[in-house]
Amino acid sequence: MTTDAGDTPLTIDELAARAGVTVRTVRFYGSRGLLPPPVIGPRRVGHYGPDHLARLALIEELQQQGMTLSAIERYFRQLPADLSPHDLAIHRAVVASWAPDAVDTVSREELERRAGRPLAAGDVERLTAMNVVMAVEGAEGDTFRVDSGLLRLGVQLLDVPLSQEAILAARKVLVEHSRAAAHELSQLFRGEVAERDARDVKSLSAHMHPLVVQALLTTFQRSLREELSEWVTGSGRTEPGSRAH
């Protein structure tokens, strides 16, 4: 399921297709207050946008964590009313971090269903290069092992105007720095719980996981915004020994 509708408004049929749900489901969520009402355009046609897609993506993620509809409604009531699609994506990323790693073996048809879109041969090659999917050798028909936790991110990256080399280089940077941060944080927490009961350690880990992920996401989001702002305005820092032009 992608969450980037751009500036082009979507009809309810287009929204449902993009989100991988039925029109009936969209209307049902709207009736329960989980989706804001559409903007009514010419000919009384409702138009939907990135906010609706982002909310549908978050609902799906919460459902995959086993939350009931009532629990999801309570979750949404606690969210600020003016959250942007980007903010909703951050919430979805935090929710996804609660799930254990899941690698499934699926058919090509099931892979496309989970991706929420048709996948050309080039798309599958890029997802394979990003270690999101892997073809199962010797299987009858097109069969793939797919990392469910990475699939949505990989599908979104298919539409990013960056070369595959740049995406893989960015992935390497993120993995290296994330591992370093995880190692240092684990050392810090280990010192705090070294003398505690094993049950306390397990409880602390369960509570800290989503909090740490959200803290890392928020910190990275702010840092990246500052870096991009400096880059766009031309006020970025120069490397030692280099000259600003």
Side-chain angles (χ1 to χ4, degrees):
M1 179 187 299
T2 59
T3 56
D4 184 10
D7 296 325
T8 304
L10 303 172
T11 66
I12 190 170
D13 296 283
E14 292 169 334
L15 174 69
R18 270 286 195 79
V21 299
T22 65
V23 170
R24 181 179 180 182
T25 298
V26 173
R27 288 176 173 150
F28 174 72
Y29 288 151
S31 70
R32 300 298 292 255
L34 294 174
L35 294 177
V39 176
I40 304 301
R43 301 179 183 177
R44 304 295 299 170
V45 175
H47 293 300
Y48 300 81
D51 179 58
H52 297 91
L53 273 171
R55 286 176 178 270
L56 286 170
L58 179 54
I59 292 169
E60 180 189 46
E61 198 67 61
L62 293 169
Q63 287 177 327
Q64 291 187 355
Q65 301 303 320
M67 291 182 67
T68 64
L69 180 62
S70 296
I72 292 174
E73 290 174 339
R74 289 195 297 271
Y75 183 94
F76 269 78
R77 282 197 293 269
Q78 294 173 0
L79 298 179
D82 59 348
L83 282 183
S84 68
H86 179 75
D87 294 328
L88 289 165
I90 295 294
H91 276 271
R92 177 180 153 201
V94 173
V95 171
S97 75
W98 303 343
D101 294 337
V103 178
D104 301 321
T105 301
V106 301
S107 65
R108 176 62 172 267
E109 181 181 4
E110 175 62 15
L111 176 63
E112 292 187 341
R113 189 193 70 78
R114 295 189 183 192
R117 57 186 279 181
L119 297 173
D123 294 333
V124 175
E125 289 177 2
R126 294 191 72 182
L127 291 174
T128 300
M130 289 185 281
N131 292 326
V132 175
V133 304
M134 178 183 298
V136 178
E137 299 294 338
E140 183 176 351
D142 287 342
T143 305
F144 303 89
R145 289 177 61 79
V146 56
D147 187 324
S148 301
L150 292 177
L151 181 59
R152 294 184 186 87
L153 174 61
V155 170
Q156 290 178 4
L157 286 174
L158 293 177
D159 297 324
V160 174
L162 290 174
S163 67
Q164 183 168 307
E165 291 74 16
I167 291 175
L168 294 179
R171 179 181 182 275
K172 181 180 179 181
V173 170
L174 289 171
V175 169
E176 289 178 351
H177 285 277
S178 296
R179 285 177 177 169
H183 176 73
E184 293 185 21
L185 287 171
S186 67
Q187 294 296 318
L188 175 64
F189 295 145
R190 188 176 300 174
E192 288 291 315
V193 301
E195 305 299 326
R196 298 189 186 182
D197 185 87
R199 288 175 297 181
D200 293 335
V201 175
K202 186 175 181 180
S203 175
L204 177 64
S205 175
H207 283 84
M208 289 303 297
H209 186 186
L211 295 177
V212 169
V213 170
Q214 186 166 21
L216 288 172
L217 284 169
T218 302
T219 303
F220 177 75
Q221 178 188 13
R222 290 173 179 170
S223 299
L224 184 60
R225 185 186 300 122
E226 292 172 0
E227 289 289 334
L228 291 176
S229 177
E230 291 176 355
W231 175 42
V232 170
T233 60
S235 60
R237 298 181 297 274
T238 57
E239 295 296 328
S242 65
R243 294 182 303 171
H245 295 282

